Amino acid sequence: MYVLKTGEEMLRGVIIFSRVISPWKQHNLHSQIKPVIHSCRDDCAVHHLQSLLQGHAFNNVRYFCEGVTQAPSFEGHVSNQSRFQAHTGRNKDAPGKAEANVPFHTKLQECLSPSDVLDLMEKCTPTHGQVSKSLTRMWNTTKKMSSEQRRFELKLMSEHPVFQCLFQRARVHAPHMSAIDLAYTLLAAIKLGVSQRSLVVQTLLRVLQERLNQFDEKSLCILATCLEKMETDKNTDALKQGLKLLLEDQLPTIQNVMLLQTLMQLFGNNAPPAMRRKLEAKALSMADEFTLPNALHMLTTLATMHLNSKPLLDICSRKIADNVHSVPFTRLLACLKSCRELNYRNFFLFSSISDYLANTLSMWSNKQVIFFLLEFEGLGFYPVALLDAFAGKVILNPDSLSFRDLLSILKAYSSLNHDLKGNQQEFLANMTRVLESYLPKMSSLDLLKAVSCLSVLGHFPQAPLQELLQEQHLGELLQRGRPYTAQAERKLYMLGLCLRLDRPALLPMLAPLPDLHSVLFPHQRPVNPGLVSALKSLVGETAVKDSVVVEGVYFIDCVITLSPEAKDVCSPSKHPRTSEKPQRIAVLSATPSSFCFGTTHPRSSLAIKIRHLQILGYEPVLVPIHELETCTNQDRIKVLKNLIFLHQESSRTED
C-alpha cells in the first residue's frame, strides 16, 4: 500500500508539474514555430500566425484545439510566477507601492508590443474588461509595425507562456463581458491570427448570438467589421444571419455611416433587389455626412455589392477628387479598381488622380505608377500628363525596369496610343534596349506581346523580331491545343500586316511569317442605314459604296470616291487641289469604346487601322455613330458635312 500510495503521489506530482510548465516548452513548439515564421514572406503577419494556429505547430496545445475541456488556469500561472521567471530567465521583482498605484489602463498604454502586454498580464489577474482591453492593445501595437517587425513580435507572442492563459480567461469570462468588450475581443482574436476553429473563437461566437439584441450601433459596427472577414462555419453564418435581420429591422434608425457600409458589405451581391433599393436610399439620405474615408469605403462597398448607383458614385467621386492629395496609394488604387468593376467612368475624378500623380511623380515608385497606368488603361482613360512625365522618368533610368514593368509599360502606352512627339524615338529606343537584355529569359508568348505592342507604336526592332521569328518560337505559339494559340495567331497576323504595310527598314535575312490569312476575319456589322442615306444625299448615290473590306481585315462602313470637280462643288475651297487623282474617303463609324474615355483620341486597334488605311490611299474620317442615332436626317447631313469636308479642308491646308 505504501508503494502504491507513493506511486500515486508521484504521478499526481508529474501531472501538476506538466500543467505548470509553459505549454510551448512542454510540447517543444519553439523548434517548430521558428522555421515556419521565418519562411513566411507575406506582408500581412496575421496570415502567418493563423497558418501556425491552424497547422500542426499548435495541434498539441490543448487550449487551441476544438473540444477542449480544460486548460492551464490563469490563476495557476500567476501563483507559480516565480517558476516561470526562472524558466524564462527574466528578473521581475515585485512592484513597489508607486507602481502598484498606477492604474491598469495607464500601464496598458505604456505597452508597445504584444509581449509587453503579456508581461503585464503575468503580474496580475485581469478582470474580464481588462482581458478585452489587453487583447485589443496587443492588436493595436502591431498596426504600425513594419512587416518584418510584426512577424518577429507575433513569433514572440505565440511563444509567450501567458498567451494561451489570456485566451482561456477570455473564453471563461465571455458571458460576463459587456457588448463592446465582446465585439473587441472577437475582433482582436481574429486580427491576431487565432484560428477561427479554436474553442475561444467559437465560444465568443455563441455568446454573441445570445446577446445580439443588447448591442448598440458602435458594438454592431465592430462586430459586423469582424464578421465580414471571417470564413464560413455554422456559428459564424448563424451570427451573420442574425446580424442581417437585426440591422435590416433597424435600418431606418441607423445613424452611423460605417455601420451602414458594413451592413451593405455583409449583404454583398446576394442582397435582394428590394434590400438593395433600401440600402441605396439610406446611403443617399446620409450622403451629406460622408467623410473622405466614408467616400472611399463606399466605392469599394458598392463594388462588393455590384451596385452601380450613379448618384452615390458621383457624390463619392466628387469628395475624393477634391481631397485626392490626402488619399494614400492603396486607397487610390482601390478606388480605380472599384470604378472598373462597376463599369463607372468619371472624367473629373480620373483627371484629378492622374494630374496629382503627374505633379508628385517623385513620390511614387515605378511599380506604383505602373499599377495606376494599368488601371487607367483598363478604364480607357487617357492620362496625357502622367504618360509624358513617367516616360521622361523612364528615359533617364531605363535599367531600373524589371521585365514585368517593361511589358506593363508597353501595354499601357500602346493600348492608349500615346505619342510622345519629340521624345518618342528616344523612349522606344530605351524600351528596345531593355527588351533585348531580357530576350534570353523571355517566353514565346511574352516576346510576341512585347513585339506586338511596339508594332502598334510603329516601331519594329530588328533583334526581337529576329528572335520571335525563330522556328522554335513560332512552333510553340502556333501549337494546337494551347489556350493562347488563337490569341497568338491574331497577333502574328497583325504583325505580318504591319511589316507588309509599314515597310520598316529590316535586314533581308529576317525569316518570313507563316501564312495566317484565314485566322483573322474583318469585324463586319450592319451599316447604319441613316448614315448611308445621309452620305448619298450629301455627295450623290454613285459616289458612295458601303461595307468595304480592305486587306481582308479592315471593315469600312462607307467609301466616298470624289473627283476633284465633285469635291470643289461639295466644298469650295481657297486651296484647290492640283492633282486630278480621285479622292477616297473612308467613313468609319466608331463606337465610344474605340476612343479613350471622354475624348476622340483613338485607341490601339482603331489607331493602327487609321494608319494602314492612310498608307493604302484612303483618308479616314471617324464618325461617332452614337451621336448620329438621335439626329434628324437634316441634322445628320449637317454633322457629316462638317466632319468630312472640314477634315478635308484642314488636310488641304497642311498640304
Side-chain angles (χ1 to χ4, degrees), residues 35 150 164 176 202 309 384 400 415 490 505 557 579:
R150 191 183 301 116
Q164 71 159 338
H176 309 291
Q202 294 298 316
S309 171
V384 180
S400 63
S415 176
R490 288 193 296 271
D557 293 83
S579 173

Side-chain angles (χ1 to χ4, degrees), residues 467-532:
E467 180 70 22
L468 175 64
L469 298 182
Q470 296 278 335
E471 186 176 348
Q472 60 180 20
H473 288 301
L474 291 177
E476 182 180 346
L477 290 169
L478 299 176
Q479 185 176 348
R480 294 297 173 187
R482 301 248 176 148
Y484 56 76
T485 300
Q487 176 192 4
E489 288 178 341
R490 288 193 296 271
K491 287 184 179 295
L492 284 171
Y493 180 82
M494 289 305 300
L495 178 60
L497 192 61
C498 289
L499 292 175
R500 183 158 51 85
L501 296 178
D502 289 288
R503 298 179 181 275
L506 299 172
L507 295 176
M509 64 181 67
L510 197 68
L513 278 164
D515 182 15
L516 299 170
H517 186 77
S518 60
V519 304
L520 198 64
F521 299 97
H523 180 58
Q524 296 191 29
R525 60 182 179 276
V527 179
N528 189 308
L531 173 65
V532 178

Side-chain angles (χ1 to χ4, degrees), residues 2 15 25 48 67 96 107 151 158 187 190 205 212 285 293 345 375 379 391 441 455 476 482 490 538 547 566 633 636:
Y2 176 77
I15 293 174
K25 188 70 178 178
H48 306 335
K107 293 180 182 179
R151 281 193 291 268
S158 64
L187 181 62
I190 296 300
L205 289 171
L212 192 58
S285 70
R345 306 289 187 271
E375 288 302 323
L379 290 163
K441 306 175 184 178
S455 69
E476 182 180 346
R482 301 248 176 148
R490 288 193 296 271
L538 185 61
S547 304
N633 193 51
R636 196 177 292 122

Side-chain angles (χ1 to χ4, degrees), residues 529-540 628 633 636-638 640:
L531 173 65
V532 178
S533 174
L535 287 174
K536 288 182 177 179
S537 300
L538 185 61
V539 298
L628 295 183
N633 193 51
R636 196 177 292 122
I637 293 172
K638 189 182 298 184
L640 289 172

Side-chain angles (χ1 to χ4, degrees), residues 10-141:
M10 290 179 63
L11 180 60
R12 189 178 299 109
V14 169
I15 293 174
I16 293 173
F17 181 73
S18 68
R19 289 183 179 179
V20 175
I21 293 179
S22 168
W24 60 268
K25 188 70 178 178
Q26 177 183 348
H27 297 288
N28 194 25
L29 290 180
H30 180 76
S31 61
Q32 299 182 41
I33 293 173
K34 186 173 182 179
V36 179
I37 286 286
H38 282 282
S39 67
C40 295
R41 287 290 180 264
D42 190 64
D43 289 337
C44 185
V46 171
H47 292 167
H48 306 335
L49 186 57
Q50 190 162 6
S51 65
L52 291 175
L53 294 172
Q54 294 177 345
H56 69 278
F58 277 87
N59 283 344
N60 292 324
V61 180
R62 290 167 294 170
Y63 177 66
F64 288 99
C65 293
E66 295 187 61
V68 173
T69 57
Q70 187 175 3
S73 66
F74 205 104
E75 290 80 358
H77 176 81
V78 174
S79 66
N80 292 280
Q81 183 177 345
S82 60
R83 190 175 304 182
F84 279 120
Q85 290 171 355
H87 174 68
T88 56
R90 297 172 183 165
N91 183 17
K92 297 183 179 178
D93 299 328
K97 289 184 179 180
E99 185 180 355
N101 292 331
V102 177
F104 177 82
H105 175 74
T106 303
K107 293 180 182 179
L108 193 61
Q109 292 305 309
E110 293 173 355
C111 297
L112 302 178
S113 70
S115 296
D116 290 346
V117 178
L118 293 173
D119 288 341
L120 177 62
M121 294 296 99
E122 201 170 15
K123 300 176 182 178
C124 63
T125 303
T127 64
H128 47 261
Q130 291 173 345
V131 168
S132 177
K133 290 178 175 61
S134 300
L135 291 172
T136 303
R137 182 61 184 170
M138 288 170 65
W139 166 46
N140 286 335
T141 57

